[in-house]
Amino acid sequence: VASPSLPFLEYPPNLAGYVGDVGFDPFRFSDFLPVDFLREAELKHGRMCQLAVVGFAAVDLGFRIYPTPEAYEGLTSVTAHDALVEYGAMSQLLLWISLAEIISSVAVIQMLQGSGREPGDFGLDPVGFLAGKSKEDVDDMKLKEITHCRLAMLAFSGMVTQAVLTQGPFPYV
């Protein structure tokens, strides 16, 4: 059976049953890694990229947290990295993100051991978007999320590439 997204390749059977499955696994990672682990990584990276798209554009649109240190004046999204490394801010980010990764790995390990937890589900729904929803409604929300995550991953890589190539502000043309 041909993959819907890559008709010249065989459909990866391990993807069946997952919301948002379009048969895209050209390197066949799903043959030797648990698909729950792959979906967890896809959601995590997608969620981060959704935040990154907004943050990357916001810096070039002039949004700042005040008071802005003098060393950070005039930075663009592209030039900010080197300045933040020089002044130690990126070390702080590395520390706190590493800590969050270590803590979240407990949930991933439990999921892979059969706890029943679904990939990307940390039980956080304070507004109640999924409260009282049918399985179809929940699956529709999951499809929207994974679609937006995939778009954000492509968008962020495109934004960074354009920003570096043009050395100009948002919208990087």
Side-chain angles (χ1 to χ4, degrees):
V1 176
S3 166
S5 61
L6 300 168
F8 52 88
L9 292 177
E10 183 182 322
Y11 176 80
N14 294 334
L15 300 181
Y18 283 85
V19 174
D21 168 32
V22 290
F24 186 81
D25 188 9
F27 298 115
R28 302 298 292 245
F29 289 122
S30 63
D31 288 346
F32 54 91
L33 288 171
V35 179
D36 284 348
F37 176 78
L38 297 172
R39 178 54 60 98
E40 180 85 23
E42 183 178 23
L43 285 167
K44 185 179 289 186
H45 287 92
R47 289 169 179 167
M48 293 304 295
C49 282
Q50 288 178 46
L51 294 170
V53 163
V54 174
F56 199 84
V59 169
D60 284 343
L61 291 172
F63 290 94
R64 300 288 189 271
I65 296 174
Y66 292 99
T68 303
E70 191 175 307
Y72 298 169
E73 291 293 329
L75 293 179
T76 66
S77 295
V78 175
T79 61
H81 177 272
D82 292 343
L84 295 175
V85 167
E86 182 180 339
Y87 290 100
M90 291 299 233
S91 300
Q92 287 283 324
L93 279 173
L94 177 64
L95 172 72
W96 294 111
I97 291 172
S98 298
L99 183 63
E101 282 292 316
I102 290 167
I103 292 169
S104 72
S105 68
V106 172
V108 174
I109 291 168
Q110 289 175 344
M111 175 189 66
L112 294 175
Q113 292 175 343
S115 70
R117 176 184 167 272
E118 293 192 31
D121 183 8
F122 290 96
L124 181 66
D125 188 13
V127 184
F129 284 122
L130 301 178
K133 302 283 185 189
S134 67
K135 180 171 176 11
E136 292 79 25
D137 290 340
V138 171
D139 285 349
D140 184 54
M141 293 295 278
K142 288 179 181 180
L143 177 62
K144 290 175 183 175
E145 180 184 26
I146 196 69
T147 303
H148 290 128
C149 285
R150 290 169 179 166
L151 175 62
M153 288 186 276
L154 292 171
F156 185 66
S157 62
M159 286 175 72
V160 171
T161 302
Q162 274 300 107
V164 170
L165 290 176
T166 63
Q167 293 295 313
F170 183 81
Y172 317 114
V173 288

